[in-house]
């Protein structure tokens, strides 16, 4: 074989190798660019997912804060109701006491009237004149005579 043929074969092989290398370099660049772009898309998806998760967490925190505020409000209302109940119980006791005092005062006046009335017989602080309306005192556990 002639040297020029060998040179042309070597040049041809070098050109083919150079083309293969160029194709491989371009293919690897595209692959790297595709990987970089895939990484960007994955990062964007992760950021979007993180933002959605953060929004959901904030919503749950807001719901928890509202529930805590509602619980505090209910506690305050319950405390106020307890105070109102205690106040009403005191008022009721005061009114019961006042009513008992008035009843005692009325009974004392009736007894005094009975002692002053010459038409009424009183024995052991009780009327014995036969009037069934006032004969027996039901507060003493005695029954009325009719």
């Amino acid at each position: 074989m002639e040297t020029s043929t060998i040179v042309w074969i070597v040049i041809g092989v070098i050109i083919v190798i150079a083309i293969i290398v160029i194709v491989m370099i371009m293919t690897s660049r595209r692959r790297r660019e595709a990987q970089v772009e895939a990484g960007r898309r994955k990062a964007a998806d992760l950021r979007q997912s993180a933002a959605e998760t953060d929004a959901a967490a904030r919503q749950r925190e807001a719901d928890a804060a509202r529930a805590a505020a509602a619980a505090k409000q209910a506690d305050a209302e319950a405390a106020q109701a307890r105070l109102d109940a205690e106040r009403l119980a005191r008022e009721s006791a005061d009114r019961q006491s006042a009513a008992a005092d008035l009843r005692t005062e009325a009974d004392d006046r009736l007894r005094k009237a009975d002692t002053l009335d010459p038409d009424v017989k009183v024995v052991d602080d009780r009327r014995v004149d036969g009037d069934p309306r006032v004969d027996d005192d039901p507060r003493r556990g005695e029954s009325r005579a009719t």
Side-chain angles (χ1 to χ4, degrees):
M1 249 202 223
E2 287 187 28
T3 348
S4 68
T5 307
I6 295 178
V7 171
W8 284 111
I9 290 176
V10 171
I11 290 176
V13 169
I14 291 176
I15 290 176
V16 169
I17 291 174
I19 291 174
I20 292 173
V21 168
I22 290 173
V23 168
M24 288 178 65
I25 290 173
M26 292 182 81
T27 304
S28 69
R29 276 187 193 163
R30 286 184 188 147
R31 201 175 315 129
R32 264 187 265 126
E33 287 174 5
Q35 286 175 346
V36 167
E37 189 58 36
R40 285 184 184 132
R41 280 193 306 270
K42 188 172 183 177
D45 290 345
L46 287 173
R47 285 186 186 100
Q48 178 66 30
S49 175
E52 290 170 1
T53 302
D54 184 53
R58 283 191 216 159
Q59 180 63 40
R60 287 184 183 170
E61 288 170 348
D63 291 344
R66 275 192 292 275
K72 282 185 179 181
Q73 179 67 28
D75 284 345
E77 289 172 0
Q80 183 62 45
R82 281 191 299 275
L83 290 174
D84 289 344
E86 289 171 2
R87 179 184 50 81
L88 289 172
R90 281 191 308 272
E91 287 178 12
S92 174
D94 291 347
R95 289 180 182 178
Q96 287 286 349
S97 176
D101 291 347
L102 285 175
R103 170 109 22 229
T104 302
E105 183 180 330
D107 288 345
D108 290 344
R109 285 185 182 172
L110 282 174
R111 275 192 293 280
K112 186 174 182 178
D114 288 346
T115 58
L116 293 176
D117 190 351
D119 297 331
V120 175
K121 267 184 134 179
V122 176
V123 175
D124 292 333
D125 217 17
R126 280 186 27 197
R127 287 181 74 149
V128 291
D129 64 352
D131 185 357
R133 292 176 295 138
V134 290
D135 245 359
D136 297 325
D137 188 354
R139 288 172 299 231
R140 293 188 188 146
E142 300 170 359
S143 62
R144 289 184 172 249
T146 47

